[in-house]
Amino acid sequence: MYEFNLTLPGPFAAVLDAVRQALMTEQLGIVSEIDAQAVLKAKLNKDIPPYRILGACNPKLAERLLGVEPNVGTLLPCNIVVREQAPGQVVVSFMDPVAVLALVDAAEAKAVGAEARARLERVAAALAAGGQGVQA
């Protein structure tokens, strides 16, 4: 599987803020953000529920990867999708770095993938434990 997720109750903006805070706690900074809802509206005049793609990165982990595989940037950053499934119900999906970095032969890449996944799993657990939702 390429991702893992959970569903959280609450307004989209509040869940998005909670995700940002939980990522920061694990030293995963947001280096990119795509508002897919706004893009599809602007480019295709298509209305979809709120949908954000956050690119999260830990510079130390990225540096380790770049040291063993200079082109690994094609697989970075770790993407997290925050999307409204229904009013008051928000799905948070995490890219699985172990699955993605399995594409790289270097053992160090696999070790970094495992460490990144552990951080993302702690983010998901913190969101779920914070009364924010239930594991999907």
Side-chain angles (χ1 to χ4, degrees), residues 6-13 15 37 48-51 82-92:
L6 63 135
T7 301
L8 303 173
F12 178 82
V15 173
Q37 179 188 37
I48 66 167
Y51 192 115
V82 182
R83 65 179 179 84
E84 185 178 75
Q85 183 169 306
Q89 188 177 23
V90 180
V91 175
V92 181

Side-chain angles (χ1 to χ4, degrees), residues 7-71:
T7 301
L8 303 173
F12 178 82
V15 173
L16 183 60
D17 286 343
V19 170
R20 290 178 195 281
Q21 290 300 318
L23 288 168
M24 285 177 38
T25 298
E26 284 297 324
Q27 299 178 326
L28 292 164
I30 298 171
V31 296
S32 64
E33 182 170 340
I34 300 168
D35 183 341
Q37 179 188 37
V39 169
L40 292 179
K41 182 64 175 175
K43 301 291 184 183
L44 302 175
N45 198 29
K46 172 92 173 153
D47 291 312
I48 66 167
Y51 192 115
R52 296 284 172 85
I53 304 168
L54 306 175
C57 181
N58 175 286
K60 289 180 182 178
L61 295 179
E63 189 273 332
R64 283 172 53 196
L65 284 171
L66 291 169
V68 297
E69 178 58 52
N71 291 330

